[in-house]
Amino acid sequence: MEISNYLKIKNKIPLNVKLLAVSKGINFTEIKKLYSQGQNDFGESKTKEAMQKQLIIKDLRNINWHFIGKIQSNKIRKIVQNFEYIHSVDSYEKLLKISNVAAEENKTPLIMLQVKFSFDPNKGGFDSKLLLEKWCDMNKFKNLKIKGLMTINPRGLSSKENIKLFKKCRKLADELQLPDCSMGMSGDWEEAVEAGSTWLRLGSIIFGNRTN
Ligand SMILES: *Cc1c(COP(=O)(O)O)cnc(C)c1O
């Protein structure tokens, strides 16, 4: 990882857009390097890998850990115990379980609901109609705070197509009066900014290619 590269990207991002450094597959020494540059938000997609790194660097203050991976029900307790943000909540049942577990653990995780705006059998996410149907119920769940929506665009779209899908996410978040949109990865973050992203999830563009 080149620090100068990180700083260059950081400088290009508008001030109202936050940068989540996706550190999955990346060694803790690299996380420490970025932390020393003022990066406090790190994203991981596997609980076991994340907890190993969290233990090693537990003395670093004010790190916010974000869970961005597919949520397995049996991992929800570990996720609630070890992450401040959960970006990848893709069903009513998982949100309900997060709420119940958070009450037991005395936590209040910040939540992004993952929504799918195009057909993609390999990706999770609420259908937007279903989300609207369930919204009133979900918005009442205790011991969590729904901050926004998260979406992942399919690969290989044109710039225009990316913007169009990201704008759908922004529009739905606005309708639900949610401040945050977690959208934009290394290949499409500029389009996401244009469409109103508030959290960019950037991995390879910062750390270089990872091993997994
Ligand atoms: C891996 C991952 C990212 C980062 O991807 P890059 O293309 O390396 O920036 C962002 N979001 C999610 C959900 C991921 O799994």
Side-chain angles (χ1 to χ4, degrees):
M1 184 203 27
E2 296 289 338
I3 288 295
S4 60
N5 193 34
Y6 164 76
L7 294 174
K8 211 160 72 190
I9 294 161
K10 185 98 196 147
N11 279 331
K12 279 205 236 167
I13 298 174
L15 286 173
N16 59 322
V17 181
K18 295 165 287 246
L19 168 56
L20 175 61
V22 175
S23 50
K24 65 182 183 197
I26 300 296
N27 192 277
F28 72 93
T29 50
E30 302 286 284
I31 296 178
K32 277 175 112 171
K33 273 192 225 164
L34 269 202
Y35 175 82
S36 70
Q37 297 294 319
Q39 178 67 34
N40 293 93
D41 292 279
F42 292 92
E44 293 279 344
S45 56
K46 295 193 180 115
T47 46
K48 192 172 163 210
E49 178 191 333
M51 286 164 64
Q52 286 168 349
K53 290 181 224 176
Q54 287 168 346
L55 185 64
I56 298 172
I57 56 177
K58 64 180 185 316
D59 291 338
L60 304 185
R61 289 172 162 264
N62 302 325
I63 286 196
N64 302 311
W65 293 99
H66 299 236
F67 189 79
I68 63 168
K70 191 167 171 48
I71 298 173
Q72 292 168 274
S73 269
N74 62 346
K75 298 281 172 62
I76 284 179
R77 189 170 301 276
K78 286 211 158 76
I79 294 170
V80 167
Q81 286 169 337
N82 295 290
F83 293 85
E84 282 76 33
Y85 287 77
I86 311 173
H87 288 237
S88 41
V89 181
D90 61 0
S91 77
Y92 177 94
E93 290 73 23
K94 286 178 198 173
L95 190 69
L96 179 59
K97 185 160 181 191
I98 290 169
S99 170
N100 291 333
V101 169
E104 291 166 12
E105 299 287 338
N106 201 17
K107 298 265 189 193
T108 311
L110 304 173
I111 304 289
M112 315 278 181
L113 299 173
Q114 184 172 351
V115 188
K116 212 156 58 162
F117 295 95
S118 64
F119 178 74
D120 186 347
N122 299 315
K123 289 266 180 290
F126 282 93
D127 168 80
S128 50
K129 273 212 196 85
L130 184 69
L131 176 64
L132 287 168
E133 280 168 25
K134 300 269 188 189
W135 174 249
C136 282
D137 281 347
M138 293 198 297
N139 201 25
K140 289 184 197 129
F141 288 176
K142 299 233 157 52
N143 285 88
L144 51 82
K145 185 149 182 48
I146 302 175
K147 294 280 287 175
L149 303 180
M150 181 273 225
T151 197
I152 303 173
N153 277 3
R155 285 167 188 267
L157 298 185
S158 70
S159 231
K160 234 174 144 177
E161 289 166 326
N162 272 319
I163 292 174
K164 197 171 149 198
L165 287 182
F166 286 144
K167 280 192 170 161
K168 286 188 184 183
C169 188
R170 184 67 262 176
K171 183 161 175 275
L172 184 58
D174 289 344
E175 278 168 25
L176 301 175
Q177 300 187 323
L178 294 171
D180 283 310
C181 278
S182 166
M183 55 190 194
M185 300 168 44
S186 293
D188 54 21
W189 69 268
E190 285 165 299
E191 289 94 335
V193 167
E194 185 170 336
S197 172
T198 63
W199 275 108
L200 300 173
R201 306 182 310 271
L202 302 182
S204 46
I205 200 175
I206 294 177
F207 292 109
N209 289 329
R210 51 188 173 259
T211 47
N212 66 4

